Amino acid sequence: MRVALLIIAFASSAACGAEPRVSGPDAKAIRAVVQSQLDAFASDDGAKAFSYAAPGIRGKFGSPEVFMAAVREGYAVVYRPASVSFLPAYREDGETFQPVRMTDDGGLVWLALYRMEKQKSGVWRIAGCSLARVAGAST
């Protein structure tokens, strides 16, 4: 339910042009982290993919192997997207999100909504990913 609400909220605020966009160096860094994790998935580099996760995610899964198994089983389109298109990152209720439009190998369209967390060191890490199929959309 939260995923659907976030997608609706993003679509509504984007349509109004009112979402607080993330810009400049933060936007670039966020996109680079997500793209780097997708690249690590593509090369089956579990340790590297796991390194882009925030501490809470790393604690939840415990190891790169468990993390990769969960991604392969529950997030197939994120693990092996046929196409990827980044939408503008934005902030809502004190949280930062990076929406990414993806298509799977069957041509279905998905929205992956990455929740991002800036670490004390200043680097961005992925604190979660919600996935929703875009109804009626396919390639």
Side-chain angles (χ1 to χ4, degrees):
M1 184 64 152
R2 178 169 161 72
V3 174
L5 292 175
L6 287 173
I7 292 168
I8 291 167
F10 175 74
S12 298
S13 61
C16 297
E19 84 279 2
R21 288 192 179 190
V22 176
S23 59
D26 279 336
K28 284 179 148 180
I30 288 167
R31 181 178 175 148
V33 167
V34 174
Q35 185 61 62
S36 294
Q37 188 178 65
L38 292 172
D39 293 343
F41 289 147
S43 62
D44 284 317
D45 188 339
K48 192 169 190 177
F50 196 55
S51 76
Y52 296 110
I57 297 295
R58 289 195 305 267
K60 177 181 176 181
F61 289 99
S63 73
E65 296 77 21
V66 173
F67 176 69
M68 289 294 282
V71 172
R72 276 192 301 270
E73 292 172 23
Y75 295 82
V77 69
V78 173
Y79 180 63
R80 291 288 192 267
S83 71
V84 172
S85 177
F86 284 81
L87 302 171
Y90 67 97
R91 290 188 175 94
E92 183 177 293
D93 295 330
E95 295 188 302
T96 302
F97 297 95
Q98 173 61 69
V100 182
R101 183 180 185 271
M102 299 179 178
T103 55
D104 63 21
D105 59 1
L108 298 177
V109 179
W110 299 82
L111 182 66
L113 189 62
Y114 288 86
R115 187 169 58 85
M116 305 300 296
E117 200 175 84
K118 194 168 193 176
Q119 306 304 296
K120 288 180 183 178
S121 64
V123 299
W124 286 94
R125 290 294 177 248
I126 299 166
C129 180
S130 300
L131 197 60
R133 181 148 164 347
V134 178
S138 62
T139 57

